Amino acid sequence: MEIRSKKITKVILTVVMIMIGIGSIFPFVFMILSAFKVESEVLQASFKLWPSEWILDNIKALFVSDYYDFMQWYRNTIIMTGTSLLLKFFFVSYTAYGFSKIKFKGRDLIFMILLAALMIPSDIMILPRYIIFKKIGILNTMWAIILPSLVDVYFVFLLRQAFISIPESLSEAARIDGCGHFRIYFKIIMPLAKPSVATMMLFSFVWIWNDYMSPYLYISDVSKQMLSVGIQLFATGQVLNYGVLMAGATLVLLPVIVIFIFAQNYFVEGVAASGVKG
């Protein structure tokens, strides 16, 4: 009786999880398939998921428009995201190393103050940042998006937890052999904390790539915009076309899916490890 009850529970949970999974990916599937439909079919009253006729006109229209430069937005987003990730990797991981492996007076107090910053809502920083960026002359440039992304207390905390779990004896042995802090950080700590670092990079990539608020607020020149704001412009003015809008959204999403497929093992391992240690 107990075994039968467990089997029934397992079947019910499996069905629920399948339904949640289908419900989660359905909007993405609809968006991707709509990118290959004629516009009238995207908006037709009777719901039809599969295109009756597969076309590439929506994707071609993205690259030949007189109203916007989709490729320029793509280039801007790649450069901004790549620069942000590179700098964030160094700043966040080395800060976490300092709080976990370097002993100095007031370290724990400073770290507690840093953690307290997590309680501050990010929205209240918008106006001060805008004024500061205007005064230092980086408003309407990529740096207005890149600089705030480098300060990430949550990932400093996550990596600090991962670095603390690495035996101190490894660092001490390296110091006896004459290694400095940077060499220990780069040659010993980073390779051993690879899953947590990969998790940070993957989450950061998704957040930075999809960020809408910062480009919208700090960049006013359309030619300097990012994809997240750029595709929103499809729904305004003379270029309203839902098929093209779906094609644009699909191409914006494509790099995120590709990177997740290649990094999913590190991602799962890193999330599981941080959950156990946290």
Side-chain angles (χ1 to χ4, degrees):
M1 187 68 182
E2 187 179 349
I3 294 175
R4 188 182 175 185
S5 175
K6 284 183 179 178
K7 283 184 178 178
I8 293 173
T9 304
K10 191 175 179 181
V11 170
I12 292 173
L13 285 175
T14 303
V15 172
V16 170
M17 285 189 288
I18 289 173
M19 290 175 67
I20 291 173
I22 292 173
S24 299
I25 67 168
F26 185 78
F28 298 107
V29 174
F30 176 77
M31 178 188 72
I32 293 169
L33 293 177
S34 296
F36 299 97
K37 295 177 181 175
V38 295
E39 188 184 7
S40 58
E41 197 174 3
V42 177
L43 299 173
Q44 68 183 6
S46 59
F47 183 79
K48 189 177 179 183
L49 182 62
W50 208 255
S52 57
E53 179 189 357
W54 290 79
I55 61 167
L56 294 175
D57 294 356
N58 295 327
I59 296 175
K60 291 177 183 174
L62 289 170
F63 301 97
V64 294
S65 173
D66 296 328
Y67 302 105
Y68 50 80
D69 189 341
F70 189 76
M71 281 305 297
Q72 183 62 45
W73 294 340
Y74 229 108
R75 280 193 291 271
N76 293 342
T77 308
I78 290 172
I79 294 171
M80 184 274 293
T81 305
T83 306
S84 298
L85 288 178
L86 189 64
L87 294 175
K88 186 173 184 175
F89 166 78
F90 178 75
F91 279 107
V92 171
S93 62
Y94 205 59
T95 302
Y97 174 84
F99 280 116
S100 59
K101 298 296 181 184
I102 301 176
K103 295 180 181 176
F104 56 91
K105 191 175 182 180
R107 184 186 72 172
D108 293 339
L109 176 63
I110 295 172
F111 186 66
M112 290 304 294
I113 294 173
L114 205 63
L115 281 184
L118 282 173
M119 302 298 113
I120 301 174
S122 59
D123 290 347
I124 68 171
M125 303 299 290
I126 290 175
L127 184 58
R129 277 179 184 164
Y130 187 91
I131 295 171
I132 292 170
F133 293 161
K134 188 175 181 181
K135 286 187 180 297
I136 63 177
I138 63 170
L139 205 61
N140 200 28
T141 71
M142 285 186 188
W143 290 106
I145 307 171
I146 293 171
L147 290 181
S149 71
L150 306 185
V151 182
D152 198 321
V153 179
Y154 172 75
F155 283 123
V156 169
F157 172 73
L158 185 145
L159 292 188
R160 177 181 175 272
Q161 297 302 100
F163 294 168
I164 284 175
S165 69
I166 298 172
E168 187 62 28
S169 57
L170 294 176
S171 302
E172 290 176 0
R175 274 194 286 272
I176 292 171
D177 289 340
C179 291
H181 279 298
F182 187 77
R183 201 168 173 189
I184 294 172
Y185 151 81
F186 196 70
K187 294 284 187 181
I188 297 175
I189 303 298
M190 293 307 293
L192 293 174
K194 202 181 291 181
S196 297
V197 174
T199 302
M200 177 197 79
M201 297 299 284
L202 185 59
F203 270 119
S204 299
F205 171 77
V206 174
W207 293 342
I208 295 169
W209 183 270
N210 292 329
D211 184 20
Y212 176 83
M213 189 62 76
S214 296
Y216 181 76
L217 291 173
Y218 303 135
I219 294 183
S220 54
D221 191 336
V222 174
S223 66
K224 295 179 180 177
Q225 268 301 352
M226 305 298 144
L227 282 170
S228 55
V229 177
I231 59 170
Q232 184 267 339
L233 298 176
F234 293 171
T236 61
Q238 303 176 48
V239 292
L240 179 60
N241 184 316
Y242 285 100
V244 176
L245 187 62
M246 294 294 180
T250 300
L251 292 184
V252 171
L253 183 65
L254 194 60
V256 178
I257 296 174
V258 171
I259 288 180
F260 178 77
I261 290 172
F262 283 104
Q264 59 179 315
N265 290 337
Y266 284 123
F267 174 72
V268 173
E269 191 178 344
V271 170
S274 61
V276 171
K277 293 163 193 163

Tab-separated table of all heavy atoms in Angstrom, residues 61-112:
chain	number	residue	atom	x	y	z
A	61	ALA	N	14.250	41.629	-42.733
A	61	ALA	CA	13.812	43.018	-42.514
A	61	ALA	C	14.592	43.697	-41.390
A	61	ALA	O	14.728	44.923	-41.375
A	61	ALA	CB	12.312	43.033	-42.196
A	62	LEU	N	15.122	42.902	-40.451
A	62	LEU	CA	15.883	43.479	-39.343
A	62	LEU	C	17.151	44.176	-39.828
A	62	LEU	O	17.610	45.144	-39.225
A	62	LEU	CB	16.289	42.374	-38.355
A	62	LEU	CG	15.182	41.757	-37.505
A	62	LEU	CD1	15.723	40.540	-36.774
A	62	LEU	CD2	14.635	42.769	-36.525
A	63	PHE	N	17.726	43.659	-40.916
A	63	PHE	CA	19.040	44.121	-41.342
A	63	PHE	C	19.000	45.109	-42.521
A	63	PHE	O	20.043	45.574	-42.959
A	63	PHE	CB	19.904	42.913	-41.722
A	63	PHE	CG	20.091	41.941	-40.580
A	63	PHE	CD1	19.289	40.810	-40.468
A	63	PHE	CD2	21.039	42.173	-39.609
A	63	PHE	CE1	19.444	39.920	-39.407
A	63	PHE	CE2	21.203	41.297	-38.549
A	63	PHE	CZ	20.401	40.177	-38.451
A	64	VAL	N	17.802	45.402	-43.020
A	64	VAL	CA	17.728	46.312	-44.183
A	64	VAL	C	16.792	47.483	-43.919
A	64	VAL	O	16.343	48.145	-44.846
A	64	VAL	CB	17.242	45.552	-45.445
A	64	VAL	CG1	18.264	44.517	-45.871
A	64	VAL	CG2	15.879	44.910	-45.214
A	65	SER	N	16.502	47.767	-42.651
A	65	SER	CA	15.556	48.841	-42.341
A	65	SER	C	16.204	50.213	-42.508
A	65	SER	O	17.402	50.389	-42.278
A	65	SER	CB	15.055	48.688	-40.900
A	65	SER	OG	14.279	49.808	-40.536
A	66	ASP	N	15.387	51.187	-42.918
A	66	ASP	CA	15.851	52.571	-43.025
A	66	ASP	C	15.713	53.318	-41.701
A	66	ASP	O	16.194	54.441	-41.562
A	66	ASP	CB	15.027	53.315	-44.090
A	66	ASP	CG	15.241	52.722	-45.473
A	66	ASP	OD1	16.363	52.227	-45.725
A	66	ASP	OD2	14.301	52.758	-46.291
A	67	TYR	N	15.044	52.702	-40.738
A	67	TYR	CA	14.726	53.401	-39.485
A	67	TYR	C	15.669	53.044	-38.338
A	67	TYR	O	15.739	53.759	-37.350
A	67	TYR	CB	13.282	53.097	-39.063
A	67	TYR	CG	12.266	53.473	-40.105
A	67	TYR	CD1	11.647	52.500	-40.885
A	67	TYR	CD2	11.943	54.806	-40.324
A	67	TYR	CE1	10.721	52.852	-41.855
A	67	TYR	CE2	11.022	55.170	-41.286
A	67	TYR	CZ	10.410	54.181	-42.049
A	67	TYR	OH	9.501	54.535	-43.009
A	68	TYR	N	16.363	51.936	-38.418
A	68	TYR	CA	17.236	51.528	-37.327
A	68	TYR	C	18.367	50.665	-37.870
A	68	TYR	O	18.280	50.125	-38.975
A	68	TYR	CB	16.461	50.754	-36.248
A	68	TYR	CG	15.603	49.634	-36.796
A	68	TYR	CD1	16.170	48.408	-37.132
A	68	TYR	CD2	14.251	49.812	-36.997
A	68	TYR	CE1	15.395	47.393	-37.647
A	68	TYR	CE2	13.469	48.809	-37.524
A	68	TYR	CZ	14.036	47.594	-37.841
A	68	TYR	OH	13.267	46.602	-38.376
A	69	ASP	N	19.440	50.534	-37.070
A	69	ASP	CA	20.594	49.716	-37.452
A	69	ASP	C	20.712	48.574	-36.437
A	69	ASP	O	21.336	48.721	-35.382
A	69	ASP	CB	21.864	50.576	-37.461
A	69	ASP	CG	23.050	49.826	-38.068
A	69	ASP	OD1	22.994	48.584	-38.131
A	69	ASP	OD2	24.025	50.487	-38.465
A	70	PHE	N	20.075	47.458	-36.752
A	70	PHE	CA	20.040	46.325	-35.832
A	70	PHE	C	21.440	45.781	-35.548
A	70	PHE	O	21.764	45.434	-34.405
A	70	PHE	CB	19.150	45.225	-36.413
A	70	PHE	CG	18.866	44.098	-35.470
A	70	PHE	CD1	17.949	44.247	-34.445
A	70	PHE	CD2	19.512	42.879	-35.594
A	70	PHE	CE1	17.681	43.219	-33.566
A	70	PHE	CE2	19.251	41.836	-34.710
A	70	PHE	CZ	18.331	42.009	-33.707
A	71	MET	N	22.270	45.720	-36.594
A	71	MET	CA	23.633	45.209	-36.411
A	71	MET	C	24.447	46.103	-35.484
A	71	MET	O	25.280	45.627	-34.705
A	71	MET	CB	24.339	45.080	-37.759
A	71	MET	CG	23.949	43.840	-38.553
A	71	MET	SD	24.196	42.304	-37.608
A	71	MET	CE	25.954	42.317	-37.348
A	72	GLN	N	24.236	47.423	-35.555
A	72	GLN	CA	24.952	48.346	-34.660
A	72	GLN	C	24.550	48.088	-33.216
A	72	GLN	O	25.393	48.083	-32.312
A	72	GLN	CB	24.642	49.801	-35.055
A	72	GLN	CG	25.381	50.841	-34.230
A	72	GLN	CD	26.895	50.735	-34.379
A	72	GLN	OE1	27.402	50.590	-35.497
A	72	GLN	NE2	27.622	50.783	-33.268
A	73	TRP	N	23.247	47.863	-32.967
A	73	TRP	CA	22.791	47.539	-31.612
A	73	TRP	C	23.434	46.229	-31.134
A	73	TRP	O	23.800	46.097	-29.972
A	73	TRP	CB	21.276	47.397	-31.573
A	73	TRP	CG	20.536	48.677	-31.841
A	73	TRP	CD1	21.039	49.954	-31.738
A	73	TRP	CD2	19.183	48.813	-32.265
A	73	TRP	NE1	20.073	50.859	-32.069
A	73	TRP	CE2	18.923	50.202	-32.390
A	73	TRP	CE3	18.162	47.917	-32.549
A	73	TRP	CZ2	17.678	50.704	-32.779
A	73	TRP	CZ3	16.918	48.411	-32.935
A	73	TRP	CH2	16.691	49.785	-33.053
A	74	TYR	N	23.532	45.274	-32.061
A	74	TYR	CA	24.137	43.981	-31.699
A	74	TYR	C	25.610	44.177	-31.315
A	74	TYR	O	26.084	43.646	-30.320
A	74	TYR	CB	24.032	42.999	-32.875
A	74	TYR	CG	23.497	41.647	-32.473
A	74	TYR	CD1	22.217	41.248	-32.839
A	74	TYR	CD2	24.253	40.761	-31.719
A	74	TYR	CE1	21.702	40.022	-32.466
A	74	TYR	CE2	23.748	39.535	-31.346
A	74	TYR	CZ	22.483	39.164	-31.726
A	74	TYR	OH	21.979	37.944	-31.342
A	75	ARG	N	26.325	44.965	-32.125
A	75	ARG	CA	27.742	45.242	-31.833
A	75	ARG	C	27.880	45.962	-30.496
A	75	ARG	O	28.745	45.615	-29.676
A	75	ARG	CB	28.362	46.077	-32.955
A	75	ARG	CG	28.758	45.305	-34.184
A	75	ARG	CD	29.647	46.131	-35.101
A	75	ARG	NE	28.898	47.229	-35.709
A	75	ARG	CZ	28.231	47.136	-36.855
A	75	ARG	NH1	28.230	46.007	-37.519
A	75	ARG	NH2	27.579	48.169	-37.342
A	76	ASN	N	27.033	46.970	-30.276
A	76	ASN	CA	27.091	47.722	-29.010
A	76	ASN	C	26.886	46.778	-27.825
A	76	ASN	O	27.597	46.865	-26.810
A	76	ASN	CB	26.002	48.798	-28.979
A	76	ASN	CG	26.227	49.883	-29.999
A	76	ASN	OD1	27.331	50.038	-30.518
A	76	ASN	ND2	25.190	50.639	-30.308
A	77	THR	N	25.895	45.880	-27.946
A	77	THR	CA	25.576	44.979	-26.836
A	77	THR	C	26.695	43.979	-26.581
A	77	THR	O	27.032	43.694	-25.422
A	77	THR	CB	24.264	44.224	-27.122
A	77	THR	OG1	23.254	45.158	-27.465
A	77	THR	CG2	23.806	43.433	-25.900
A	78	ILE	N	27.295	43.451	-27.650
A	78	ILE	CA	28.402	42.497	-27.488
A	78	ILE	C	29.601	43.166	-26.822
A	78	ILE	O	30.200	42.622	-25.882
A	78	ILE	CB	28.798	41.906	-28.859
A	78	ILE	CG1	27.693	40.975	-29.373
A	78	ILE	CG2	30.116	41.141	-28.753
A	78	ILE	CD1	27.901	40.487	-30.785
A	79	ILE	N	29.954	44.369	-27.290
A	79	ILE	CA	31.111	45.086	-26.709
A	79	ILE	C	30.846	45.435	-25.250
A	79	ILE	O	31.701	45.232	-24.374
A	79	ILE	CB	31.404	46.360	-27.532
A	79	ILE	CG1	31.876	45.984	-28.937
A	79	ILE	CG2	32.460	47.214	-26.829
A	79	ILE	CD1	31.977	47.150	-29.895
A	80	MET	N	29.637	45.945	-24.971
A	80	MET	CA	29.310	46.342	-23.595
A	80	MET	C	29.290	45.128	-22.667
A	80	MET	O	29.867	45.149	-21.569
A	80	MET	CB	27.939	47.037	-23.589
A	80	MET	CG	27.499	47.597	-22.255
A	80	MET	SD	26.677	46.380	-21.213
A	80	MET	CE	25.180	46.073	-22.152
A	81	THR	N	28.662	44.039	-23.111
A	81	THR	CA	28.566	42.839	-22.271
A	81	THR	C	29.942	42.210	-22.059
A	81	THR	O	30.293	41.822	-20.934
A	81	THR	CB	27.622	41.812	-22.915
A	81	THR	OG1	26.355	42.425	-23.162
A	81	THR	CG2	27.418	40.616	-22.000
A	82	GLY	N	30.735	42.107	-23.134
A	82	GLY	CA	32.067	41.512	-23.011
A	82	GLY	C	32.962	42.310	-22.072
A	82	GLY	O	33.652	41.742	-21.220
A	83	THR	N	32.951	43.641	-22.222
A	83	THR	CA	33.780	44.492	-21.345
A	83	THR	C	33.327	44.384	-19.896
A	83	THR	O	34.148	44.273	-18.973
A	83	THR	CB	33.685	45.961	-21.812
A	83	THR	OG1	34.016	46.042	-23.186
A	83	THR	CG2	34.644	46.833	-21.017
A	84	SER	N	32.015	44.390	-19.685
A	84	SER	CA	31.470	44.289	-18.317
A	84	SER	C	31.880	42.970	-17.662
A	84	SER	O	32.309	42.946	-16.501
A	84	SER	CB	29.942	44.394	-18.339
A	84	SER	OG	29.528	45.622	-18.842
A	85	LEU	N	31.746	41.866	-18.413
A	85	LEU	CA	32.061	40.553	-17.843
A	85	LEU	C	33.544	40.435	-17.503
A	85	LEU	O	33.911	39.888	-16.456
A	85	LEU	CB	31.654	39.449	-18.812
A	85	LEU	CG	30.153	39.197	-18.965
A	85	LEU	CD1	29.901	38.108	-20.003
A	85	LEU	CD2	29.530	38.795	-17.638
A	86	LEU	N	34.385	40.939	-18.412
A	86	LEU	CA	35.831	40.851	-18.185
A	86	LEU	C	36.228	41.617	-16.920
A	86	LEU	O	36.954	41.093	-16.058
A	86	LEU	CB	36.570	41.418	-19.402
A	86	LEU	CG	38.072	41.218	-19.431
A	86	LEU	CD1	38.416	39.730	-19.502
A	86	LEU	CD2	38.695	41.951	-20.611
A	87	LEU	N	35.756	42.850	-16.803
A	87	LEU	CA	36.102	43.674	-15.640
A	87	LEU	C	35.450	43.136	-14.367
A	87	LEU	O	36.056	43.124	-13.295
A	87	LEU	CB	35.671	45.129	-15.879
A	87	LEU	CG	36.416	45.856	-16.998
A	87	LEU	CD1	35.824	47.238	-17.223
A	87	LEU	CD2	37.899	45.969	-16.673
A	88	LYS	N	34.204	42.659	-14.503
A	88	LYS	CA	33.496	42.141	-13.325
A	88	LYS	C	34.182	40.887	-12.792
A	88	LYS	O	34.267	40.679	-11.576
A	88	LYS	CB	32.045	41.839	-13.696
A	88	LYS	CG	31.188	41.441	-12.506
A	88	LYS	CD	29.734	41.330	-12.914
A	88	LYS	CE	28.867	41.031	-11.700
A	88	LYS	NZ	27.435	41.034	-12.043
A	89	PHE	N	34.627	40.038	-13.707
A	89	PHE	CA	35.339	38.825	-13.299
A	89	PHE	C	36.501	39.177	-12.376
A	89	PHE	O	36.676	38.581	-11.317
A	89	PHE	CB	35.838	38.084	-14.543
A	89	PHE	CG	36.845	37.013	-14.250
A	89	PHE	CD1	36.440	35.784	-13.756
A	89	PHE	CD2	38.200	37.234	-14.454
A	89	PHE	CE1	37.372	34.795	-13.467
A	89	PHE	CE2	39.126	36.259	-14.174
A	89	PHE	CZ	38.717	35.027	-13.676
A	90	PHE	N	37.298	40.168	-12.785
A	90	PHE	CA	38.468	40.524	-11.994
A	90	PHE	C	38.070	41.217	-10.684
A	90	PHE	O	38.516	40.816	-9.605
A	90	PHE	CB	39.394	41.432	-12.808
A	90	PHE	CG	40.599	41.879	-12.031
A	90	PHE	CD1	41.646	41.008	-11.788
A	90	PHE	CD2	40.671	43.166	-11.519
A	90	PHE	CE1	42.755	41.411	-11.048
A	90	PHE	CE2	41.773	43.572	-10.781
A	90	PHE	CZ	42.815	42.690	-10.546
A	91	PHE	N	37.236	42.245	-10.752
A	91	PHE	CA	36.912	43.043	-9.565
A	91	PHE	C	36.186	42.210	-8.506
A	91	PHE	O	36.528	42.242	-7.318
A	91	PHE	CB	36.060	44.253	-9.953
A	91	PHE	CG	36.859	45.396	-10.495
A	91	PHE	CD1	36.825	45.705	-11.841
A	91	PHE	CD2	37.665	46.157	-9.666
A	91	PHE	CE1	37.575	46.749	-12.364
A	91	PHE	CE2	38.421	47.206	-10.162
A	91	PHE	CZ	38.383	47.503	-11.521
A	92	VAL	N	35.171	41.461	-8.928
A	92	VAL	CA	34.365	40.709	-7.960
A	92	VAL	C	35.172	39.558	-7.353
A	92	VAL	O	35.177	39.360	-6.134
A	92	VAL	CB	33.082	40.176	-8.629
A	92	VAL	CG1	32.352	39.208	-7.703
A	92	VAL	CG2	32.166	41.331	-8.984
A	93	SER	N	35.867	38.791	-8.211
A	93	SER	CA	36.597	37.622	-7.692
A	93	SER	C	37.768	38.042	-6.812
A	93	SER	O	38.046	37.405	-5.792
A	93	SER	CB	37.076	36.726	-8.841
A	93	SER	OG	37.976	37.437	-9.665
A	94	TYR	N	38.470	39.134	-7.182
A	94	TYR	CA	39.616	39.552	-6.363
A	94	TYR	C	39.150	40.173	-5.053
A	94	TYR	O	39.816	40.033	-4.027
A	94	TYR	CB	40.501	40.526	-7.146
A	94	TYR	CG	41.934	40.539	-6.656
A	94	TYR	CD1	42.687	39.366	-6.660
A	94	TYR	CD2	42.526	41.693	-6.191
A	94	TYR	CE1	43.992	39.347	-6.199
A	94	TYR	CE2	43.838	41.689	-5.730
A	94	TYR	CZ	44.562	40.512	-5.737
A	94	TYR	OH	45.858	40.493	-5.277
A	95	THR	N	37.994	40.838	-5.083
A	95	THR	CA	37.418	41.357	-3.829
A	95	THR	C	37.040	40.199	-2.908
A	95	THR	O	37.315	40.230	-1.697
A	95	THR	CB	36.173	42.207	-4.127
A	95	THR	OG1	36.531	43.272	-4.998
A	95	THR	CG2	35.591	42.786	-2.849
A	96	ALA	N	36.422	39.169	-3.489
A	96	ALA	CA	36.047	37.989	-2.694
A	96	ALA	C	37.280	37.299	-2.124
A	96	ALA	O	37.275	36.819	-0.983
A	96	ALA	CB	35.257	37.014	-3.562
A	97	TYR	N	38.355	37.267	-2.929
A	97	TYR	CA	39.616	36.684	-2.434
A	97	TYR	C	40.128	37.474	-1.230
A	97	TYR	O	40.566	36.902	-0.224
A	97	TYR	CB	40.661	36.696	-3.560
A	97	TYR	CG	42.030	36.240	-3.110
A	97	TYR	CD1	42.350	34.892	-3.050
A	97	TYR	CD2	43.000	37.175	-2.734
A	97	TYR	CE1	43.603	34.476	-2.621
A	97	TYR	CE2	44.245	36.767	-2.305
A	97	TYR	CZ	44.549	35.416	-2.247
A	97	TYR	OH	45.784	35.012	-1.818
A	98	GLY	N	40.071	38.803	-1.322
A	98	GLY	CA	40.546	39.640	-0.222
A	98	GLY	C	39.777	39.391	1.062
A	98	GLY	O	40.367	39.311	2.146
A	99	PHE	N	38.454	39.231	0.952
A	99	PHE	CA	37.632	39.018	2.142
A	99	PHE	C	37.725	37.587	2.683
A	99	PHE	O	37.253	37.325	3.789
A	99	PHE	CB	36.167	39.342	1.843
A	99	PHE	CG	35.862	40.810	1.880
A	99	PHE	CD1	35.454	41.474	0.731
A	99	PHE	CD2	35.985	41.538	3.049
A	99	PHE	CE1	35.177	42.832	0.753
A	99	PHE	CE2	35.716	42.898	3.086
A	99	PHE	CZ	35.306	43.552	1.931
A	100	SER	N	38.272	36.679	1.915
A	100	SER	CA	38.327	35.282	2.374
A	100	SER	C	39.736	34.822	2.740
A	100	SER	O	39.916	34.014	3.648
A	100	SER	CB	37.763	34.349	1.291
A	100	SER	OG	38.504	34.478	0.091
A	101	LYS	N	40.755	35.357	2.053
A	101	LYS	CA	42.112	34.827	2.236
A	101	LYS	C	43.114	35.829	2.789
A	101	LYS	O	44.227	35.440	3.146
A	101	LYS	CB	42.634	34.301	0.881
A	101	LYS	CG	41.819	33.148	0.291
A	101	LYS	CD	41.899	31.918	1.187
A	101	LYS	CE	41.118	30.750	0.594
A	101	LYS	NZ	41.096	29.580	1.488
A	102	ILE	N	42.784	37.107	2.825
A	102	ILE	CA	43.710	38.111	3.347
A	102	ILE	C	43.179	38.615	4.687
A	102	ILE	O	42.043	39.096	4.761
A	102	ILE	CB	43.878	39.284	2.365
A	102	ILE	CG1	44.403	38.785	1.014
A	102	ILE	CG2	44.836	40.324	2.944
A	102	ILE	CD1	44.501	39.853	-0.049
A	103	LYS	N	43.985	38.495	5.726
A	103	LYS	CA	43.562	38.950	7.051
A	103	LYS	C	44.042	40.381	7.278
A	103	LYS	O	45.229	40.668	7.163
A	103	LYS	CB	44.141	38.026	8.127
A	103	LYS	CG	43.590	36.608	8.055
A	103	LYS	CD	44.190	35.723	9.122
A	103	LYS	CE	43.623	34.305	9.011
A	103	LYS	NZ	44.248	33.369	9.985
A	104	PHE	N	43.113	41.278	7.575
A	104	PHE	CA	43.466	42.664	7.893
A	104	PHE	C	42.456	43.192	8.903
A	104	PHE	O	41.349	42.660	9.051
A	104	PHE	CB	43.498	43.530	6.621
A	104	PHE	CG	42.220	43.520	5.824
A	104	PHE	CD1	41.222	44.453	6.058
A	104	PHE	CD2	42.014	42.566	4.820
A	104	PHE	CE1	40.051	44.439	5.312
A	104	PHE	CE2	40.850	42.550	4.085
A	104	PHE	CZ	39.862	43.496	4.318
A	105	LYS	N	42.845	44.240	9.596
A	105	LYS	CA	42.028	44.781	10.675
A	105	LYS	C	40.702	45.334	10.126
A	105	LYS	O	40.696	46.108	9.159
A	105	LYS	CB	42.794	45.909	11.397
A	105	LYS	CG	42.149	46.361	12.682
A	105	LYS	CD	43.027	47.391	13.390
A	105	LYS	CE	42.372	47.810	14.712
A	105	LYS	NZ	43.206	48.821	15.412
A	106	GLY	N	39.611	44.911	10.751
A	106	GLY	CA	38.296	45.415	10.350
A	106	GLY	C	37.690	44.699	9.146
A	106	GLY	O	36.686	45.148	8.593
A	107	ARG	N	38.313	43.584	8.739
A	107	ARG	CA	37.827	42.887	7.536
A	107	ARG	C	36.372	42.452	7.676
A	107	ARG	O	35.545	42.713	6.785
A	107	ARG	CB	38.709	41.659	7.271
A	107	ARG	CG	38.341	40.919	5.996
A	107	ARG	CD	39.135	39.636	5.850
A	107	ARG	NE	38.703	38.621	6.801
A	107	ARG	CZ	39.130	37.350	6.783
A	107	ARG	NH1	40.020	36.972	5.871
A	107	ARG	NH2	38.699	36.476	7.669
A	108	ASP	N	36.038	41.804	8.799
A	108	ASP	CA	34.676	41.292	8.960
A	108	ASP	C	33.653	42.417	9.080
A	108	ASP	O	32.525	42.307	8.577
A	108	ASP	CB	34.605	40.391	10.205
A	108	ASP	CG	35.428	39.123	10.014
A	108	ASP	OD1	35.694	38.774	8.850
A	108	ASP	OD2	35.829	38.513	11.019
A	109	LEU	N	34.055	43.531	9.745
A	109	LEU	CA	33.150	44.671	9.874
A	109	LEU	C	32.860	45.290	8.502
A	109	LEU	O	31.702	45.593	8.176
A	109	LEU	CB	33.764	45.720	10.810
A	109	LEU	CG	32.965	47.015	10.975
A	109	LEU	CD1	31.599	46.718	11.613
A	109	LEU	CD2	33.737	48.032	11.815
A	110	ILE	N	33.918	45.450	7.707
A	110	ILE	CA	33.738	46.013	6.356
A	110	ILE	C	32.842	45.104	5.519
A	110	ILE	O	31.963	45.566	4.774
A	110	ILE	CB	35.108	46.204	5.658
A	110	ILE	CG1	35.928	47.255	6.407
A	110	ILE	CG2	34.920	46.624	4.208
A	110	ILE	CD1	37.362	47.376	5.913
A	111	PHE	N	33.046	43.783	5.672
A	111	PHE	CA	32.228	42.853	4.886
A	111	PHE	C	30.760	42.911	5.322
A	111	PHE	O	29.858	42.836	4.480
A	111	PHE	CB	32.764	41.422	5.046
A	111	PHE	CG	32.084	40.427	4.169
A	111	PHE	CD1	32.215	40.482	2.788
A	111	PHE	CD2	31.290	39.425	4.711
A	111	PHE	CE1	31.576	39.570	1.965
A	111	PHE	CE2	30.650	38.500	3.897
A	111	PHE	CZ	30.797	38.579	2.525
A	112	MET	N	30.510	43.077	6.628
A	112	MET	CA	29.133	43.201	7.106
A	112	MET	C	28.470	44.467	6.573
A	112	MET	O	27.289	44.467	6.199
A	112	MET	CB	29.103	43.211	8.646
A	112	MET	CG	29.447	41.878	9.287
A	112	MET	SD	28.401	40.511	8.733
A	112	MET	CE	26.824	41.023	9.383
